[in-house]
Amino acid sequence: MWGLLLAVTALAPSVGLSLGAPSASVLGLAPGSTLAPHSSLTQPSTKANETSEQHVRLRVIKKKKVIVKKRKKLRQPGPSVTARPLVTTSPGKTLTLPEKQEPGCPPLGLESLRVSDSQLEASSSQSYGLGPHRGRLNIQSGLEDGDLYDGAWCAEQQDTEPWLQVDAKNPVRFSGIVTQGRNSVWRYDWVTSYKVQFSNDSQTWWKSRNHSSGMDMVFPANSDPETPVLNLLPEPQVARFIRLLPQTWFQKGAPCLRAEILACPVSDPNDLFPEAHTLGSADSLDFRHHNYKAMRKLMKQVNEQCPNITRIYSIGKSHQGLKLYVMEMSDQPGEHELGEPEVRYVAGMHGNEALGRELLLLLMQFLCHEFLRGNPRVTRLLTETRIHLLPSMNPDGYEIAYHRGSELVGWAEGRWTHQGIDLNHNFADLNTPLWYAEDDGLVPHTVPNHHLPLPTYYTLPNATVAPETWAVIKWMKRIPFVLSANLHGGELVVSYPFDMTRTPWAARELTPTPDDAVFRWLSTVYAGTNRVMQDTDRRPCHSQDFSLHGNVINGADWHTVPGSMNDFSYLHTNCFEVTVELSCDKFPHEKELPQEWENNKDALLTYLEQVRMGIAGVVRDKDTELGIADAVIAVEGINHDVTTAWGGDYWRLLTPGDYVVAASAEGYHTVKQHCQVTFEEGPVPCNFLLTKTPKQRLRELLAAGAKLPPDLRRKLERLRGQKN
């Protein structure tokens, strides 16, 4: 422990100081910063531009007695870290309380990949997988250290002057830096302090300096590998290049970091540099992040602007009591029209994956505006389809992430619900009982291959099922959804069921559904119309290059996810659902939302239109011509059936081909017919008329209290006698 305590006890709560460490201002660190707990402070070096013996006046308290002493060295207790000299303030400087600073400039784009690999350089690298191109905020490593996809930039151990350099390509106004340590399953590496340099030609450099002392500014960095730490420059600097120079790092580790640079564009009146690519959209929409209150307000505005095609309803509440709002969009909102399919988009299952939330808010605005303009594509979509948009399945988690902000939320904060539940692992595991039944030869005659019931354990009072999960399950049962997509973030890929591996405990394994062709079609449609996924020059987000396989993957072949919403939707309802990973950046800055909308707009619309593929029709009673609810539609060669809605209408997604389709219902004779699905747009009509069995007719007569003919009554009595 320190022998003496700094007399800043009363000031600590207001400036974020801890009693065991000197303040940022005393040590010449950036205003608004705190000292990383694991950094070590050594006596300044004797370089020409530094003072060899800096004195710091400290007001200390010892046994309630105030003393003023001079110390030449400040050392933090515990094991020292690998360190380079830190610069302290000059003698006589007093402690000043920094004002809270907010990041005024957007990110340059290391995390979102707008900054290319060629714009990143370093003094050295331990390996290619730890090269400067890996020094991006929130980048994730693979399971194996030392491969091509490691989790940070790391300088060589013998590099005495390590640095990471970013070329903005044009002069910009640098305002701040966000850093993290190395993402790794096996190692602990992070930088605890660094300096910053700037240049316009990468040859001549100047440093960020402390205003009060005139000395080089030393910024405190990280105290763990994952928590992002923001440092604002004491004065923004206009330059083209920026360098981060690690000064100290974790004792047993190496100088490793991931970073994002905050920078604003500056005018170039002489056109000396090529014009930078601007992020924008021609659509007049509300491109910003919306917290719960702002989301409700926006949805209400859309409803008021387009009252004839919109309806807002809630499917339940979160653990904290926030409503799970849905925007319904159709020419007849509020009712299921016979023959009109129901589709849904769900976003915000993980609260920190904010892009999907904003895309759905943008989509509802766009559909409203374009319908009013008479856009034929949108008009047809809304007249032939009933669309449901749930922008925030986990509003509690989102509020946590929103409070932290897009650059500081990190990789996981806000992912879980307020109860700490990952909603994508919280649905009932219906895969296991189905596969056991299949192995025993019980499917489909004894155990159905569709609409599997909830396990008993899942419905017990003490079952760990989030209220958000229950709300979505009841929603699924209430509306006959046909098609859905679950919008996530952090990658660029579309994954499809099954999400859970069939082999128990297998981390990954190709596990297709009986409708694998349909799911691959749906996934390819979204990936093929997403601008970024189709960019052949883009680099992988993290540790897998999904572009090698068309940016689609079987979920279980990526990583197993027991209890996923996709698998549950397929096995418990008629709905086919995929997961869309929208962007490398889970929580992109508001400035990037217009471009993200353009990247995904056509894909969102085209995917909704896929509900028209396959066959559709109505199953009716031949005598009454009334629709038959819960009739089973079976396709030969595909071991997964769907059922009709309460009006007898159904939709069966199929890829082009010839199919033998059977319709059956309790009390009716099964009817089969050939249905040909072509590449023409629109579902192929495939209607059925079912005839009641004699047994069913008899039941209905008896139920109606009708008198039976004497010969039939005697025959029934004989049959009962034989049975007894």
Side-chain angles (χ1 to χ4, degrees):
M1 295 181 62
W2 292 73
L4 302 173
L5 297 176
L6 297 177
V8 291
T9 308
L11 301 178
S14 62
V15 297
L17 299 178
S18 61
L19 295 181
S23 73
S25 298
V26 168
L27 298 176
L29 303 180
S33 305
T34 57
L35 183 65
H38 293 282
S39 61
S40 173
L41 307 176
T42 63
Q43 184 176 351
S45 68
T46 56
K47 290 185 179 180
N49 63 339
E50 297 179 355
T51 305
S52 60
E53 289 191 1
Q54 297 290 338
H55 292 74
V56 181
R57 295 188 68 86
L58 300 177
R59 184 170 181 264
V60 297
I61 300 175
K62 186 176 181 182
K63 295 183 179 180
K64 300 183 180 181
K65 187 175 181 180
V66 178
I67 315 169
V68 176
K69 291 188 176 181
K70 289 185 179 180
R71 294 178 61 104
K72 293 184 179 181
K73 296 181 181 180
L74 297 176
R75 292 190 181 275
Q76 189 170 354
S80 62
V81 300
T82 305
R84 294 186 58 212
L86 288 180
V87 180
T88 63
T89 57
S90 58
K93 295 296 180 181
T94 58
L95 175 65
T96 58
L97 301 181
E99 295 181 1
K100 182 179 179 181
Q101 294 177 284
E102 300 292 343
C105 289
L108 195 61
L110 276 75
E111 182 177 10
S112 65
L113 304 186
R114 284 192 293 112
V115 172
S116 66
D117 289 352
S118 62
Q119 293 174 251
L120 300 171
E121 295 184 32
S123 57
S124 65
S125 302
Q126 292 183 16
S127 65
Y128 177 79
L130 293 169
H133 64 292
R134 303 295 294 176
R136 300 172 181 271
L137 193 73
N138 285 320
I139 202 165
Q140 302 294 294
S141 68
L143 292 178
E144 299 293 334
D145 282 351
D147 60 11
L148 298 180
Y149 303 105
D150 224 313
W153 160 71
C154 291
E156 293 179 347
Q157 293 282 4
Q158 61 269 30
D159 188 348
T160 59
E161 300 280 343
W163 50 260
L164 175 67
Q165 174 180 305
V166 182
D167 177 5
K169 287 192 173 181
N170 297 304
V172 295
R173 187 170 73 253
F174 294 111
S175 66
I177 302 102
V178 182
T179 58
Q180 287 172 311
R182 176 180 178 179
N183 175 257
S184 173
V185 178
W186 313 107
R187 288 187 56 85
Y188 295 94
D189 299 299
W190 60 82
V191 170
T192 55
S193 68
Y194 60 89
K195 294 182 180 180
V196 182
Q197 292 181 338
F198 309 94
S199 175
N200 285 318
D201 56 9
S202 74
Q203 301 298 318
T204 304
W205 295 87
W206 70 93
K207 298 177 181 179
S208 179
R209 293 189 177 275
N210 187 310
H211 282 311
S212 59
S213 67
M215 311 294 294
D216 294 346
M217 181 70 74
V218 180
F219 296 90
N222 300 85
S223 57
D224 63 69
E226 295 298 332
T227 305
V229 173
L230 167 66
N231 279 297
L232 299 179
L233 300 177
E235 182 178 347
Q237 300 290 319
V238 175
R240 173 177 169 177
F241 299 88
I242 185 172
R243 274 184 182 177
L244 308 184
L245 299 87
Q247 301 295 295
T248 61
W249 45 91
F250 183 57
Q251 177 190 12
K252 298 180 181 179
C256 299
L257 62 80
R258 295 173 285 168
E260 181 61 85
I261 306 298
L262 306 183
C264 291
V266 295
S267 60
D268 182 16
N270 299 320
D271 294 327
L272 299 177
F273 296 90
E275 185 176 355
H277 174 66
T278 57
L279 303 178
S281 171
D283 297 323
S284 180
L285 306 175
D286 187 1
F287 293 107
R288 61 189 177 94
H289 287 292
H290 298 77
N291 62 9
Y292 179 73
K293 183 178 179 180
M295 180 189 73
R296 289 196 310 172
K297 182 178 179 180
L298 177 62
M299 294 177 72
K300 183 179 179 182
Q301 290 173 346
V302 173
N303 176 244
E304 291 173 346
Q305 190 173 6
C306 295
N308 295 328
I309 61 167
T310 62
R311 180 176 73 100
I312 301 172
Y313 64 96
S314 170
I315 62 172
K317 292 183 179 181
S318 70
H319 183 262
Q320 290 295 92
L322 302 182
K323 291 184 178 180
L324 277 59
Y325 286 111
V326 176
M327 175 67 79
E328 176 193 339
M329 307 194 75
S330 175
D331 61 337
Q332 296 290 332
E335 61 180 273
H336 172 73
E337 297 180 71
L338 188 71
E340 187 169 285
E342 311 262 0
V343 297
R344 70 172 184 256
Y345 276 132
V346 177
M349 170 178 272
H350 295 145
N352 62 329
E353 296 170 13
L355 179 56
R357 175 191 182 104
E358 297 308 322
L359 287 180
L360 292 193
L361 295 178
L362 292 167
L363 179 61
M364 62 181 70
Q365 296 174 67
F366 176 80
L367 292 175
C368 172
H369 296 172
E370 293 303 303
F371 183 83
L372 295 177
R373 290 180 54 193
N375 183 318
R377 183 184 188 186
V378 171
T379 300
R380 183 184 179 191
L381 192 60
L382 293 177
T383 54
E384 296 183 0
T385 316
R386 191 177 176 212
I387 302 169
H388 304 258
L389 307 176
L390 173 59
S392 186
M393 183 178 169
N394 179 10
D396 295 348
Y398 176 82
E399 292 301 304
I400 295 172
Y402 178 85
H403 179 73
R404 291 287 292 163
S406 62
E407 308 313 309
L408 298 179
V409 68
W411 188 249
E413 190 172 4
R415 173 187 177 94
W416 299 276
T417 68
H418 188 266
Q419 296 173 286
I421 296 174
D422 187 333
L423 295 178
N424 205 33
H425 293 261
N426 197 226
F427 287 82
D429 170 18
L430 303 180
N431 306 55
T432 300
L434 173 68
W435 291 335
Y436 281 156
E438 286 181 346
D439 292 342
D440 293 337
L442 302 177
V443 179
H445 303 293
T446 305
V447 176
N449 59 19
H450 62 97
H451 289 82
L452 275 70
L454 293 175
T456 302
Y457 74 86
Y458 195 79
T459 60
L460 295 176
N462 61 346
T464 307
V465 183
E468 297 89 343
T469 306
W470 273 124
V472 171
I473 290 175
K474 293 174 182 177
W475 185 40
M476 290 179 175
K477 291 183 174 183
R478 189 166 63 249
I479 298 175
F481 290 114
V482 181
L483 179 65
S484 174
N486 184 9
L487 306 184
H488 285 241
E491 256 298 350
L492 277 168
V493 67
V494 183
S495 69
Y496 55 89
F498 284 121
D499 289 334
M500 178 181 175
T501 55
R502 184 156 187 162
T503 302
W505 310 114
R508 52 172 295 190
E509 175 186 62
L510 180 63
T511 311
T513 67
D515 284 289
D516 190 58
V518 174
F519 278 116
R520 286 188 287 110
W521 175 293
L522 294 171
S523 302
T524 301
V525 163
Y526 197 101
T529 49
N530 178 284
R531 286 188 179 183
V532 180
M533 292 186 192
Q534 287 307 297
D535 182 2
T536 56
D537 294 329
R538 76 169 182 89
R539 52 151 289 163
C541 290
H542 301 287
S543 59
Q544 288 182 261
D545 189 354
F546 294 105
S547 65
L548 300 176
H549 307 286
N551 300 292
V552 302
I553 190 171
N554 171 252
D557 199 28
W558 182 11
H559 57 268
T560 185
V561 182
S564 78
M565 187 165 71
N566 289 3
D567 288 3
F568 180 85
S569 180
Y570 180 68
L571 295 177
H572 192 64
T573 74
N574 288 334
C575 190
F576 287 48
E577 182 176 277
V578 302
T579 291
V580 182
E581 300 284 351
L582 296 161
S583 171
C584 301
D585 190 348
K586 289 185 175 184
F587 205 129
H589 190 272
E590 285 184 354
K591 179 184 176 183
E592 296 168 357
L593 292 179
Q595 186 62 54
E596 292 291 1
W597 166 246
E598 291 300 321
N599 292 341
N600 289 277
K601 176 172 65 175
D602 190 51
L604 289 166
L605 297 175
T606 305
Y607 185 83
L608 290 175
E609 293 167 341
Q610 300 314 299
V611 76
R612 302 172 187 157
M613 65 181 283
I615 60 176
V618 181
V619 179
R620 289 187 168 93
D621 184 299
K622 186 176 182 180
D623 298 329
T624 65
E625 294 190 354
L626 295 176
I628 302 173
D630 297 322
V632 176
I633 304 298
V635 180
E636 284 190 6
I638 301 178
N639 191 22
H640 182 79
D641 305 336
V642 299
T643 58
T644 58
W646 48 85
D649 46 348
Y650 78 92
W651 305 263
R652 182 50 165 104
L653 300 181
L654 293 168
T655 55
D658 293 321
Y659 299 93
V660 176
V661 184
S664 61
E666 186 177 357
Y668 291 87
H669 291 292
T670 299
V671 175
K672 293 183 178 182
Q673 62 174 295
H674 289 271
C675 300
Q676 184 182 38
V677 179
T678 67
F679 285 94
E680 299 297 324
E681 188 177 3
V684 175
C686 206
N687 299 303
F688 293 87
L689 292 174
L690 303 188
T691 304
K692 292 177 182 175
T693 63
K695 190 174 182 180
Q696 177 63 22
R697 294 182 186 277
L698 180 59
R699 286 198 191 100
E700 292 178 359
L701 286 172
L702 293 173
K707 293 183 180 180
L708 298 179
D711 58 337
L712 181 57
R713 187 168 59 251
R714 287 191 294 269
K715 184 177 181 180
L716 288 173
E717 289 173 353
R718 285 196 302 269
L719 289 173
R720 290 191 186 115
Q722 291 174 2
K723 184 177 181 181
N724 292 334

